[in-house]
Amino acid sequence: MSRNDGKKDSSASTFRKIDVDQYSDNNFREEDADGGIGGPTGPDENEILTLLSQGKNAEALISVLRSAPLGCKNQQVKDNARNLTLKVLLSIKSTQIDDCLGQLDRDLLDVLMKYIYRGFEIPTEGSSSHLLTWHEKVYNISGVGSIVRAFADSKRA
Amino acid sequence: MTEVHNLGVDAISCHAWNKDRKEVAICPNNNEIQVYKRTSSGWKLLQNLQEHDMHVMGIDWAPNTNRIVTCSADKNAYVWTQEGDGKWNPAWVLLRINRAATCVKWSPLENKFAVGSGGRVIAVCYFVSENNWWQCKHIKRPLRSTVTTVDWHPDNKVLVAGSTDYKVRVFSAFISDMEDAPGNGPWGHSNTLGTLLAEFQNTPNGGGWIHSVVFSPCGNKICWVAHNSSICIADATKGNAVIRLYTEHLPFLNCVWMGSNSIVAVGHSCMPMLYSIDDNGQLYFVSKLDNTQKKEAAGLSAMRKFQSLDRQARTDTNDNALDSIHQNTINCVRKVSNNEFSTSGLDGQLVVWDLKLLENSIAGLKIA
């Protein structure tokens, strides 16, 4: 239902394309609203890879999620963290997922959900089906709220 | 147990009760406000208030002075007063805003009201008898985006507002022209209109628009709900400490305090949820307040088919009923009495819930 079907509306719609906000000096910019919290600068790749090679998958997952650079402005740092997180997610076998999720708190589950959705954006061979398994299991714990937060938060993965 | 009222409208965008709860004003999701009276044979439409040109965004009914204030996307607000013959007459309010008016709330003493706007401004309005009209003063800074919700502190001098810039702010709403003593409560000293007393980020992660914010009955706490499915409480007596609860539900759109430690939140989940604060100040989920079982549709009728097309834009008639009374988003909740509250939503239903009665029917439900 449109909010704009009041009496005074004309049928013309071109005026909708005019960005009236550009004429305002006190414009709202999303970055300003985020505040000055820098947050982690990204996970330590060597540490994560070492943990993975030692078979400490759960530790690797916790470590990579805890240091996720969600608030970072540098896209390169975010992409590196995304690639590393996906590597961790894909190297954990389906049978181990429940065990790993049991060690995460609610906040880390929300971060995890954000990376699962990021992973869907850049599929590799077989990655999406594995991520869907992750998605199902995270959803079972933290519900639709977790999905909503993956979209609503302005600090994304 | 739970009273379900159907006023014969498709969707209700907001509703407000009069003092004795015999009359209700609703907006049927257009530019009109309909006032209904409860009679022995159902609801009777008393008057259709038509003055706004665009969607009505907010209605508030002052119980003691019996005045209705409405605001709309057409940038106007009207104060409606009842004449001797029962007809409502509008008085235009000089809002001086250049974007839609999004929300409106009477102050507890009913001598002021606040209107939030898409123009990054809150208009605090009061009556000037010399000019015989409603006039306002603006709170502008540091609002960065549309104000979606406002609420008044019980002391009549402090205002809280939620905004689409992901922040909740507490302002002084003291108007020196008409009030004598400035307020001095837990939120701070309010002697100038627009003084920022407190500011809260929804979450450290940004976290979506604020949909609703309300003061607790004592005025020491505020509770807000936002589009990241969270419900948060800030306590002025504990150094503005914030308790956040990220829920597993769809986002809440509105909330109301039921007593000093309980909150009912409603929204896209189509059923009211009860949250409480425990002795340690932690917020926890108590229960869904709707344990309706899904009704099995009997047979297939043309009427049901068209109804389903009309209400939900679905052509198949099987399995489109939800396990709840409301069949669509609930966007408005109001306190009716100490243990009753009412909800209305996009399914056009107005439902009155009684917590005392719900306590008996839902296992483990205890209202603090």
Side-chain angles (χ1 to χ4, degrees):
Chain A
M1 211 166 305
S2 162
R3 280 183 179 275
N4 294 311
D5 44 344
K7 275 189 232 162
K8 276 191 176 166
D9 266 8
S10 70
S11 57
S13 62
T14 45
F15 70 92
R16 294 187 192 286
K17 298 203 173 91
I18 302 172
D19 178 15
V20 290
D21 282 327
Q22 67 177 307
Y23 303 108
S24 161
D25 48 356
N26 186 24
N27 230 347
F28 176 64
R29 279 182 299 275
E30 201 133 285
E31 309 88 66
D32 300 346
D34 286 348
I37 313 144
T41 49
D44 180 354
E45 188 162 357
N46 291 331
E47 182 202 335
I48 306 293
L49 292 179
T50 315
L51 285 171
L52 275 184
S53 64
Q54 291 169 345
K56 293 178 180 167
N57 292 339
E59 281 91 339
L61 182 64
I62 291 170
S63 172
V64 78
L65 293 178
R66 219 170 247 155
S67 51
L70 298 182
C72 184
K73 305 259 189 295
N74 187 337
Q75 194 55 42
Q76 190 60 44
V77 174
K78 295 184 94 161
D79 287 351
N80 288 344
R82 178 200 67 198
N83 293 339
L84 191 59
T85 312
L86 287 179
K87 187 176 268 179
V88 175
L89 289 180
L90 295 178
S91 58
I92 296 177
K93 294 192 181 66
S94 304
T95 48
Q96 300 171 322
I97 291 180
D98 286 317
D99 189 39
C100 290
L101 290 182
Q103 300 178 42
L104 300 181
D105 60 29
R106 282 299 183 91
D107 289 346
L108 286 185
L109 284 174
D110 286 345
V111 178
L112 174 56
M113 193 55 120
K114 291 177 184 174
Y115 276 109
I116 292 172
Y117 275 96
R118 278 297 272 152
F120 287 139
E121 289 175 28
I122 42 155
T124 52
E125 180 76 36
S127 73
S128 290
S129 68
H130 193 64
L131 286 176
L132 276 172
T133 316
W134 275 102
H135 185 276
E136 182 189 351
K137 290 181 189 292
V138 176
Y139 172 79
N140 285 342
I141 301 173
S142 54
V144 283
S146 185
I147 300 173
V148 169
R149 281 187 285 281
F151 298 124
D153 281 348
S154 53
K155 287 184 183 165
R156 301 188 181 185
Chain B
M1 172 187 97
T2 307
E3 292 173 45
V4 180
H5 305 290
N6 213 317
L7 300 172
V9 295
D10 284 340
I12 300 177
S13 45
C14 45
H15 73 276
W17 298 89
N18 75 337
K19 188 178 187 178
D20 63 6
R21 325 292 174 189
K22 296 268 170 42
E23 291 176 27
V24 65
I26 62 139
C27 167
N29 204 28
N30 60 9
N31 62 322
E32 299 168 356
I33 301 115
Q34 299 177 345
V35 183
Y36 287 89
K37 187 181 179 65
R38 193 196 292 242
T39 65
S40 51
S41 59
W43 291 92
K44 182 170 172 269
L45 179 63
L46 292 182
Q47 197 181 343
N48 203 353
L49 312 183
Q50 290 173 308
E51 198 67 30
H52 288 293
D53 293 325
M54 294 172 87
H55 268 76
V56 174
M57 304 293 285
I59 306 175
D60 203 21
W61 198 324
N64 297 316
T65 48
N66 196 36
R67 290 186 293 217
I68 300 174
V69 63
T70 61
C71 73
S72 156
D74 64 9
K75 311 176 212 170
N76 287 319
Y78 292 97
V79 175
W80 302 78
T81 45
Q82 206 166 15
E83 299 298 306
D85 59 355
K87 289 282 171 232
W88 292 93
N89 274 336
W92 183 68
V93 182
L94 188 63
L95 282 184
R96 299 183 285 122
I97 56 176
N98 58 4
R99 297 288 160 86
T102 49
C103 51
V104 64
K105 198 65 92 38
W106 280 106
S107 74
L109 292 181
E110 302 174 11
N111 56 351
K112 296 189 278 187
F113 59 86
V115 178
S117 159
R120 300 185 285 251
V121 65
I122 302 166
V124 181
C125 309
Y126 57 103
F127 194 72
V128 181
S129 38
E130 298 94 78
N131 302 336
N132 195 29
W133 71 16
W134 290 88
Q135 181 175 310
C136 75
K137 291 195 171 175
H138 284 173
I139 300 175
K140 282 183 179 153
R141 251 169 269 274
L143 295 163
R144 303 302 313 279
S145 188
T146 300
V147 177
T148 49
T149 169
V150 286
D151 195 37
W152 287 89
H153 190 276
D155 79 354
N156 209 56
K157 284 158 194 161
V158 174
L159 191 68
V160 66
S163 164
T164 54
D165 59 10
Y166 320 138
K167 285 197 172 80
V168 170
R169 297 181 179 90
V170 181
F171 291 104
S172 158
F174 175 74
I175 303 233
S176 50
D177 298 5
M178 54 167 298
E179 287 172 306
D180 36 16
N184 201 358
W187 296 96
H189 194 61
S190 48
N191 56 355
T192 323
L193 179 86
T195 310
L196 184 68
L197 302 176
E199 185 176 61
F200 303 97
Q201 173 97 20
N202 182 23
T203 78
N205 293 327
W209 295 2
I210 312 294
H211 286 307
S212 175
V213 56
V214 279
F215 273 109
S216 66
C218 63
N220 290 345
K221 297 189 194 109
I222 52 173
C223 171
W224 71 85
V225 292
H227 203 72
N228 61 342
S229 298
S230 68
I231 173 163
C232 306
I233 287 179
D235 192 337
T237 59
K238 292 183 181 153
N240 290 351
V242 183
I243 312 155
R244 297 186 170 90
L245 186 67
Y246 302 118
T247 74
E248 59 264 47
H249 308 292
L250 288 171
F252 298 119
L253 294 177
N254 210 331
C255 58
V256 67
W257 289 82
M258 298 299 294
S260 54
N261 284 314
S262 295
I263 297 142
V264 169
V266 300
H268 292 291
S269 299
C270 305
M271 49 177 82
M273 316 256 183
L274 183 69
Y275 288 86
S276 278
I277 305 167
D278 66 14
D279 299 334
N280 301 324
Q282 286 307 305
L283 187 62
Y284 66 100
F285 174 64
V286 182
S287 174
K288 291 177 176 175
L289 296 178
D290 189 341
N291 54 359
T292 311
Q293 299 296 311
K294 191 183 284 190
K295 287 192 197 74
E296 285 301 323
L300 189 122
S301 74
M303 167 146 169
R304 192 175 301 117
K305 182 162 184 162
F306 284 111
Q307 219 167 38
S308 138
L309 246 176
D310 184 39
R311 296 244 164 100
Q312 285 126 346
R314 292 166 60 131
T315 47
D316 51 340
T317 51
N318 54 337
D319 196 47
N320 55 8
L322 301 173
D323 289 340
S324 57
I325 294 175
H326 277 291
Q327 294 294 304
N328 206 333
T329 297
I330 308 174
N331 51 16
C332 184
V333 58
R334 291 265 180 182
K335 193 172 175 176
V336 177
S337 68
N338 278 340
N339 51 331
E340 286 173 298
F341 64 93
S342 62
T343 57
S344 69
L346 301 185
D347 59 354
Q349 296 189 100
L350 178 67
V351 183
V352 181
W353 313 74
D354 189 329
L355 286 174
K356 278 276 171 297
L357 296 175
L358 288 169
E359 237 172 11
N360 301 331
S361 66
I362 297 176
L365 178 65
K366 190 85 195 88
I367 319 290

